[in-house]
Amino acid sequence: MLTEQQSTRATPSFDVVPGEGGREAIKLEKAEVVYGRGKRTTQALAPTQLRVEKGEFVALVGPSGCGKSTILKLVSNLLAPSSGHVHVGGREVGAKRVGVGMAFQNPTMLPWLSVRDNVMLPLKIVPPFRSRFRKARKGEFRDRADALLEKVGLKGFGDKQPWQLSGGMLQRASLCRALIHEPELLLLDEPFGALDQFTREELWGILQNLWLESKPTVLLVTHDLREAAFLGTRICVMSPRPGKIIDDQPVPMARPRTISMTYDQDFVRLTQQLRELITHSRPDVA
Amino acid sequence: MEFVEKIRQKLAAAMLILGVFVVWEIACLLMGIPEIVLPRPTVILETLSARLPQLMPHVLQTLGTTLTGFVMGVTVGMLLGAIVGSSRVAYDTAYPLLVGFSSIPKVAVVPIFVLWFGSGTVPAVLTSFIICIFPVVVNVATGLATTEPELEDVLKSLGAKKREILWNVGIPRAMPYFFASLKVAITLAFVGTVLAETIASNRGIGNVMMIATSSFDVPLVFSGLFLLALLGVALYLVFSLIERRVAGWAMRKSELPTL
């Protein structure tokens, strides 16, 4: 409905031609998620339309419990839609192997592996890297993990165990793990939600740089409106449960964006407008 | 500094253990307890050193039997635990069966084994085998069943297959539980072996103790107990060492007790 048209409005600072067949990365078509059976059902996600082009950075915002994370689970094939369709890379999700990197609100590091081994985990699972994992784990892959760790400010922490790192450091490592296999699709589920403001803002900058380097398609779930506006090329606003997308707008600000830009008038106006959309969509307020 | 502190702690512990035996010795002497009731530790040691060549084949017999039963029990326990821990149906059907089976006193099972396989080593191996299974199954199943879904999601989102998830998340996650169960299982395995040897065998420490009891050779009985305790402690230590290598991540460095 609105996504199709409005994504044409999205004219970010790079060359995406919306609507063109081969450029579609994600498409949700009347995707609905219902938990439970019989009379005791909960609709987690109302039939939702969403289309994301390749190379876009889409931020999903909305009140808590509105089904933002559900959309991520659908796209990452952790959850199947109760009805409707989810397409990733032009095919039904799961039909074709798409390089997906995912970071969660909790860093979810495997506690028995060192930080570096945690970061290298996708290389062990995902083709074409998996076939070379045994040979390259001590050489090429190791260097690759270390290089990535250095980019997020974790140089020299590869040999540490996860419990020796702080929450912010673990989240940086988690970002590395999501990126190491150079995924076409990056799914971020409130990855900075549990961090303090300063760490969070620093990581926004790092994430922006990483994205600018290789331009993967990103779907970011967040409840931080400044974060959405800072990082996204497009922001989708969701209504409270059962969630659906009620607004979809581009973020025209130039890249690379800086933290001080988030206090500019345009920027503040944008976040203010988003805030009002969300508060007015809540049934108890409206 | 830290090293000295460690040595001091070790020394204190050793002294305390030694103290227990000293108290035993002194109590026996002061109260004039006859050897036939409770032999003094020194008498036990004397007997042990005098009869060691005679006892050695029995020690090896018991050790071999126990380890065979233990390895079999742990293997089967691990497989059962993996099935029970990863499938709801298996959990619901296997658990009542297992609990029921392990509630049967093993003394009652030995005669059946003797009936089937004759007396000797086989019933002893089987007894220690079945006594080992339960703790391993329960722990491995618990370890797998309590794996955080978030950790599994990390691999699922990468498109990992069920087998890969089990291998990379489930099994490592269950390791601390598995090793805890190994420590319980190895001590139980000795119980099983000695039990069967006492009832139906002409070899092994259990048999030696049985014969010694009937001839009122109490120091020899206690020597047997000593040897069993020693074997148990030795194997326990071996598994503790392996555990620290394989599942050390579960114990943070600062809390890690040094052997």
Side-chain angles (χ1 to χ4, degrees):
Chain A
M1 302 177 293
L2 36 71
T3 44
E4 200 72 16
Q5 301 161 356
Q6 297 208 344
S7 63
T8 36
R9 261 172 45 196
T11 42
S13 56
F14 55 93
D15 59 339
V16 161
V17 188
E20 189 186 300
R23 309 239 24 132
E24 169 196 297
I26 304 169
K27 190 168 81 178
L28 266 66
E29 218 169 75
K30 296 194 186 117
E32 184 188 13
V33 175
V34 181
Y35 289 117
R37 271 186 204 160
K39 283 179 185 170
R40 308 186 69 187
T41 54
T42 324
Q43 194 183 25
L45 186 69
T48 298
Q49 299 285 119
L50 174 69
R51 189 190 157 99
V52 178
E53 308 296 329
K54 272 184 189 163
E56 269 193 296
F57 195 131
V58 174
L60 270 176
V61 295
S64 56
C66 69
K68 300 177 299 241
S69 299
T70 307
I71 289 185
L72 276 200
K73 282 186 176 162
L74 285 175
V75 175
S76 59
N77 203 16
L78 292 176
L79 193 71
S82 311
S83 65
H85 296 280
V86 178
H87 290 259
V88 175
R91 300 269 295 276
E92 197 87 23
V93 64
K96 186 177 96 180
R97 202 151 184 163
V98 180
V100 175
M102 200 162 176
F104 304 83
Q105 181 168 12
N106 297 317
T108 57
M109 292 278 128
L110 305 183
W112 49 88
L113 296 179
S114 69
V115 171
R116 183 189 295 113
D117 286 339
N118 262 296
V119 170
M120 290 200 303
L121 192 68
L123 301 178
K124 194 174 175 184
I125 305 292
V126 177
F129 306 101
R130 56 182 297 166
S131 55
R132 288 194 295 130
F133 186 76
R134 267 161 186 273
K135 275 186 197 164
R137 63 185 296 186
K138 294 251 165 76
E140 184 199 334
F141 287 178
R142 186 195 157 99
D143 297 341
R144 191 166 169 160
D146 285 345
L148 207 51
L149 282 170
E150 191 177 342
K151 271 187 204 165
V152 300
L154 282 182
K155 192 183 180 189
F157 283 93
D159 289 315
K160 291 264 190 285
Q161 295 297 311
W163 56 267
Q164 292 173 304
L165 269 59
S166 69
M169 291 159 112
L170 286 176
Q171 208 52 264
R172 288 163 204 250
S174 167
L175 213 52
C176 290
R177 182 176 61 192
L179 286 164
I180 187 134
H181 52 300
E182 290 172 356
E184 305 155 50
L185 188 57
L186 190 57
L187 303 173
L188 306 172
D189 192 355
E190 297 185 25
F192 313 128
L195 303 178
D196 65 278
Q197 176 111 15
F198 298 107
T199 314
R200 201 183 302 168
E201 287 174 355
E202 188 196 340
L203 284 173
W204 291 353
I206 290 171
L207 179 59
Q208 175 176 246
N209 291 341
L210 289 169
W211 177 74
L212 286 172
E213 271 174 35
S214 54
K215 288 277 174 72
T217 312
V218 186
L219 198 53
L220 167 77
V221 162
T222 179
H223 47 224
D224 185 333
L225 300 176
R226 276 180 71 226
E227 179 172 307
F230 180 89
L231 286 167
T233 54
R234 218 174 107 197
I235 297 177
C236 295
V237 183
M238 290 185 72
S239 69
R241 162 170 288 189
K244 58 170 191 259
I245 292 166
I246 51 171
D247 186 57
D248 187 338
Q249 55 177 302
V251 184
M253 270 64 105
R255 305 242 185 209
R257 298 174 188 158
T258 59
I259 295 298
S260 57
M261 281 169 73
T262 64
Y263 297 101
D264 288 353
Q265 219 176 18
D266 292 350
F267 208 96
V268 173
R269 198 179 298 129
L270 176 66
T271 51
Q272 188 62 33
Q273 184 200 340
L274 292 171
R275 178 179 303 277
E276 267 162 32
L277 256 170
I278 290 171
T279 39
H280 283 298
S281 73
R282 272 159 59 181
D284 49 331
V285 177
Chain B
M1 196 60 212
E2 204 179 295
F3 184 70
V4 176
E5 180 65 18
K6 263 184 203 164
I7 298 278
R8 223 176 55 81
Q9 274 179 10
K10 289 266 137 18
L11 222 63
M15 294 303 282
L16 220 62
I17 293 170
L18 203 69
V20 173
F21 289 102
V22 172
V23 169
W24 175 356
E25 181 86 25
I26 292 171
C28 283
L29 283 171
L30 283 183
M31 291 189 260
I33 298 170
E35 243 168 48
I36 198 158
V37 178
L38 181 68
R40 284 175 283 128
T42 45
V43 176
I44 296 171
L45 276 179
E46 242 170 71
T47 319
L48 207 56
S49 62
R51 308 250 195 121
L52 199 61
Q54 240 174 300
L55 283 169
M56 218 44 213
H58 295 288
V59 171
L60 292 180
Q61 165 75 17
T62 300
L63 187 63
T65 309
T66 305
L67 284 180
T68 315
F70 172 75
V71 169
M72 284 163 58
V74 169
T75 314
V76 172
M78 231 160 46
L79 292 175
L80 274 178
I83 297 167
V84 170
S86 47
S87 142
R88 186 76 230 175
V89 181
Y91 192 92
D92 289 342
T93 50
Y95 246 111
L97 281 177
L98 271 169
V99 173
F101 189 67
S102 30
S103 305
I104 300 170
K106 300 301 168 291
V107 192
V109 186
V110 179
I112 301 173
F113 286 149
V114 175
L115 200 68
W116 289 346
F117 304 103
S119 62
T121 311
V122 181
V125 169
L126 286 178
T127 314
S128 70
F129 161 64
I130 56 165
I131 214 168
C132 280
I133 296 177
F134 190 61
V136 179
V137 173
V138 171
N139 273 33
V140 171
T142 309
L144 289 177
T146 56
T147 303
E148 295 82 350
E150 291 82 11
L151 293 186
E152 289 180 355
D153 280 355
V154 171
L155 282 162
K156 268 191 211 159
S157 67
L158 292 170
K161 296 190 182 62
K162 248 196 138 155
R163 191 173 42 81
E164 288 173 312
I165 295 173
L166 184 71
W167 193 249
N168 286 295
V169 179
I171 289 178
R173 171 60 227 270
M175 272 297 142
Y177 292 82
F178 174 63
F179 275 100
S181 77
L182 282 194
K183 291 175 178 175
V184 178
I186 191 66
T187 50
L188 284 180
F190 274 110
V191 174
T193 309
V194 173
L195 190 70
E197 283 174 351
T198 314
I199 297 173
S201 180
N202 46 15
R203 276 193 296 169
I205 298 178
N207 179 247
V208 170
M209 283 166 58
M210 181 74 181
I211 292 168
T213 313
S214 56
S215 57
F216 296 104
D217 190 352
V218 182
L220 186 59
V221 176
F222 273 85
S223 305
L225 289 180
F226 245 63
L227 284 172
L228 286 173
L230 271 180
L231 287 179
V233 170
L235 287 176
Y236 184 95
L237 285 182
V238 169
F239 290 118
S240 298
L241 281 174
I242 303 175
E243 175 183 26
R244 271 218 276 163
R245 290 208 65 111
V246 180
W249 60 268
M251 290 183 249
R252 307 266 165 103
K253 280 254 160 47
S254 54
E255 301 157 17
L256 204 73
T258 40
L259 278 168

